[in-house]
Amino acid sequence: MKPSIPQGTRDFSSAIIKKRNYIFGTIRRVFELYGFEPLETPAMENIETLMGKYGEEGDKLIFKILNNGLNHPEKQSAALKDFENVLQGKTSKGISERALRYDLTIPFARYVAMNQGQLTFPFKRYQMQPVWRADRPQRGRYREFYQCDADIAGSSSLLHEIELALIYSAVFAELKLPVEIHINNRKILQALSEKCGGTSNMMNITIAIDKLDKIGIEKVKQELAERGLNNSQIKTVEKYISIEGDDDTCIADLSSLLGDIACAKEGISEMVEMLREVNRIMPSTKIRVNPSLARGLNYYTGTIFEVKAIGVEMGSLGGGGRYDDLTGLFGVKGIAGVGISFGVDRIYDVLEELNAFPENIQAGTTALIFNTGIDKQYLIYAATVLRNHQIACEIFHEPVKFDKQFKYADKKSIPFAIIIGEEEQANKTATVKNLKTGEQKAVPFSALPTIISA
RNA sequence: GAGGAUGUAGCUCAGCUGGUUAGAGCAUCUGAUUGUGGUUCAGAAGGUCGUGGGUUCGAGCCCCAUCUUCCUCCCCA
């Protein structure tokens, strides 16, 4: 059998993991700086926890896990019947009762609903784990990928939106990755749909305008018509998505178009406050109002975020928003939430493309102790001394000619070679060679750690 | 899920209209050099041509199926 891995999944070599850990570390540090605490949830959830939470398309992209024991003779007729349901596109607990996590937000909501009695609210958690989607793989699109989420449950304060925007800003600034944070507010979109045939139209309108960047205004209008909007409604939407310019202009235009509707007013004033605070505290942040930002996930109710890289063609690097009643889906009313997500694999791809990873993160072994054929015990002793000084080192495994040992060090980018032969052992010295400069000198054995650390 | 492209040595790729023993560069290994790497030189090794079927006297090349990767749609991180 020829070994292979499933479509859209990847193995990660040490070089990749080191770079990815650099991204994880940066995000984790900032999350903790803002008072978030870690949480991990299982890779799989009960299927009903996930189904119906991500819209019709989302349901199709959930990886379902086949139940075990379907071939048991006693269960066969039931299994056949259940399979009929599956063939009709339904789910069936008889065939599958578990599924792989599709994102981190719904498991978080489930966790909050399950543990509401024990948690201190507002509950601020961060989570960095893989998620799975049965999507067709493409550039920047995988079937298994990591998300890093920070969410707050149990508070409607706008303070959180402001802090989450600051987190985005801080993380990407630390990664030296130029991004633009787009914001909008579902309350404004709701007002727009009220003006265009009622809130039942909201899905139709948001799906269409979300594509503006990609397909242009004419095709959006066409799609709106296909989705059943009449001419005057389309005209209103066109006015809405034509709003552009700096934030003040957008805000003013939004107010004049929708300001007479209460929920639009609310949404606009939330955006104004966010922009003011974020610009005041981190003025270098590129945060901008984007009226055509809609986001497909249907649980958002207020502020919505999306992060785009500047200068690289790539889907969003992160997204999130306010959802007023997330745990309501799990029978717990009245817990509001808001959160953001980082797409680590895409951030990785962009950093790679921009060549923006710092040099020093590849550091592995610092010193290679050459195997000169002297007593192993002495080599191990030398390594132990270095390790006790927190110097990462290894001993070459065999006493072969130096040519090979040097080449090994070279390939692994080990900066120092340490040679201790019979003579050095007798003199209590060591020969240290800096492989970058080629400089070499004999030093007292006791001075070894200091020389290498310097 | 629909449509399109792709797959030849570890890597990047040649390979004519279907014709004898499938090539190059880089990397690898050996030696020149048994206590001094990166350079150089000489040599060697490396392939079920993604996989399975078919057409043919003959298939890397043509046909069918299937898988991978990439692209478009859909959706998103």
Side-chain angles (χ1 to χ4, degrees):
Chain A
M1 182 194 125
K2 196 176 172 180
S4 63
I5 54 174
Q7 187 185 40
T9 65
R10 297 151 299 158
D11 288 321
F12 298 104
S13 67
S14 83
I16 297 173
I17 292 171
K18 282 175 189 168
K19 290 190 219 168
R20 209 179 49 191
N21 281 345
Y22 158 74
I23 302 172
F24 279 142
T26 305
I27 295 172
R28 182 183 292 116
R29 218 173 315 118
V30 175
F31 281 170
E32 291 184 352
L33 201 56
Y34 280 78
F36 290 82
E37 301 208 62
L39 173 74
E40 291 191 9
T41 64
M44 64 184 97
E45 292 277 349
N46 291 326
I47 203 163
E48 65 268 27
T49 301
L50 305 182
M51 293 298 287
K53 309 300 193 296
Y54 308 104
E56 211 176 304
E57 283 302 312
D59 280 357
K60 288 185 199 161
L61 298 179
I62 294 171
F63 268 109
K64 287 103 188 166
I65 299 169
L66 199 61
N67 287 352
N68 292 66
L70 289 173
N71 59 344
H72 196 281
E74 278 174 33
K75 292 183 186 164
Q76 242 172 43
S77 67
L80 279 171
K81 213 168 137 200
D82 284 324
F83 191 64
E84 287 295 318
N85 284 329
V86 173
L87 287 179
Q88 286 163 31
K90 299 173 197 162
T91 58
S92 169
K93 279 195 81 172
I95 299 291
S96 168
E97 48 188 10
R98 291 169 290 269
L100 292 177
R101 173 170 67 213
Y102 177 89
D103 73 355
L104 301 178
T105 307
I106 293 295
F108 168 66
R110 187 226 81 215
Y111 177 84
V112 172
M114 269 177 75
N115 298 284
Q116 44 155 332
Q118 279 71 251
L119 301 175
T120 306
F121 290 101
F123 177 58
K124 300 170 76 174
R125 84 87 175 76
Y126 73 87
Q127 191 169 351
M128 318 211 295
Q129 289 187 280
V131 302
W132 293 269
R133 296 188 188 175
D135 210 347
R136 180 164 296 203
Q138 256 177 65
R139 168 184 160 85
R141 177 175 302 193
Y142 306 100
R143 285 185 153 180
E144 178 184 62
F145 60 95
Y146 273 87
Q147 289 191 329
C148 296
D149 279 30
D151 289 82
I152 300 115
S155 165
S156 304
S157 168
L158 193 68
L159 183 65
H160 303 305
E161 272 96 327
I162 295 166
E163 291 202 328
L164 290 170
L166 293 174
I167 287 175
Y168 266 144
S169 182
V171 167
F172 287 109
E174 277 196 40
L175 292 174
K176 298 192 173 44
L177 180 55
V179 296
E180 222 167 42
I181 303 168
H182 294 231
I183 59 166
N184 196 9
N185 198 299
R186 281 275 177 147
K187 290 172 186 170
I188 297 171
L189 291 163
Q190 193 191 329
L192 177 69
S193 54
E194 270 174 33
K195 214 164 194 164
C196 301
T199 46
S200 58
N201 259 344
M202 184 148 165
M203 277 296 278
N204 284 328
I205 294 173
T206 55
I207 288 172
I209 67 174
D210 205 29
K211 297 179 190 168
L212 177 66
D213 282 350
K214 247 185 172 168
I215 62 177
I217 200 158
E218 286 311 314
K219 290 218 167 143
V220 170
K221 281 161 72 179
Q222 195 185 320
E223 180 154 350
L224 286 167
E226 279 162 18
R227 288 175 181 271
L229 273 76
N230 66 35
N231 279 342
S232 83
Q233 291 168 344
I234 292 175
K235 223 166 193 165
T236 308
V237 175
E238 185 179 4
K239 258 192 205 159
Y240 173 83
I241 54 179
S242 302
I243 293 174
E244 56 178 16
D246 60 35
D247 291 341
D248 291 343
T249 314
C250 287
I251 296 287
D253 289 355
L254 285 171
S255 299
S256 69
L257 185 67
L258 299 164
D260 54 323
I261 298 170
C263 67
K265 227 177 196 166
E266 223 177 283
I268 291 170
S269 80
E270 285 176 14
M271 282 210 297
V272 168
E273 190 177 345
M274 273 183 71
L275 290 167
R276 192 186 63 222
E277 288 308 304
V278 173
N279 285 322
R280 190 168 67 84
I281 295 165
M282 293 188 185
S284 60
T285 308
K286 290 201 173 65
I287 182 167
R288 58 152 17 107
V289 176
N290 178 354
S292 69
L293 174 63
R295 293 189 63 75
L297 294 177
N298 41 24
Y299 46 67
Y300 292 122
T301 53
T303 303
I304 45 183
F305 301 93
E306 200 154 295
V307 182
K308 293 233 158 208
I310 297 173
V312 179
E313 205 48 54
M314 179 67 74
S316 63
L317 301 184
R322 161 73 66 183
Y323 33 88
D324 279 335
D325 190 30
L326 193 63
T327 54
L329 297 163
F330 300 108
V332 179
K333 297 283 176 199
I335 298 182
V338 60
I340 54 171
S341 178
F342 288 82
V344 175
D345 300 80
R346 283 188 180 172
I347 293 172
Y348 180 99
D349 288 346
V350 172
L351 285 174
E352 192 73 290
E353 192 163 328
L354 296 176
N355 225 329
F357 282 107
E359 291 278 322
N360 56 4
I361 57 180
Q362 285 305 330
T365 306
T366 305
L368 179 68
I369 299 172
F370 273 34
N371 195 323
T372 51
I374 63 166
D375 191 355
K376 272 196 197 71
Q377 285 181 9
Y378 194 74
L379 296 175
I380 294 168
Y381 165 69
T384 305
V385 169
L386 291 178
R387 287 170 186 151
N388 285 344
H389 284 83
Q390 300 303 309
I391 294 165
C393 64
E394 51 186 301
I395 304 166
F396 197 84
H397 59 112
E398 279 171 335
V400 295
K401 54 184 186 176
F402 280 22
D403 181 72
K404 273 189 179 271
Q405 307 200 35
F406 272 115
K407 279 183 177 158
Y408 177 82
D410 202 41
K411 261 182 275 181
K412 288 189 69 174
S413 310
I414 298 171
F416 291 101
I418 295 170
I419 301 163
I420 302 172
E422 280 173 24
E423 198 177 314
E424 284 95 342
Q425 186 179 7
N427 297 340
K428 295 209 178 346
T429 60
T431 300
V432 179
K433 180 162 183 175
N434 181 327
L435 296 185
K436 265 196 194 115
T437 61
E439 189 188 349
Q440 173 175 327
K441 58 186 166 185
V443 302
F445 183 86
S446 56
L448 209 46
T450 331
I451 301 260
I452 288 176
S453 305

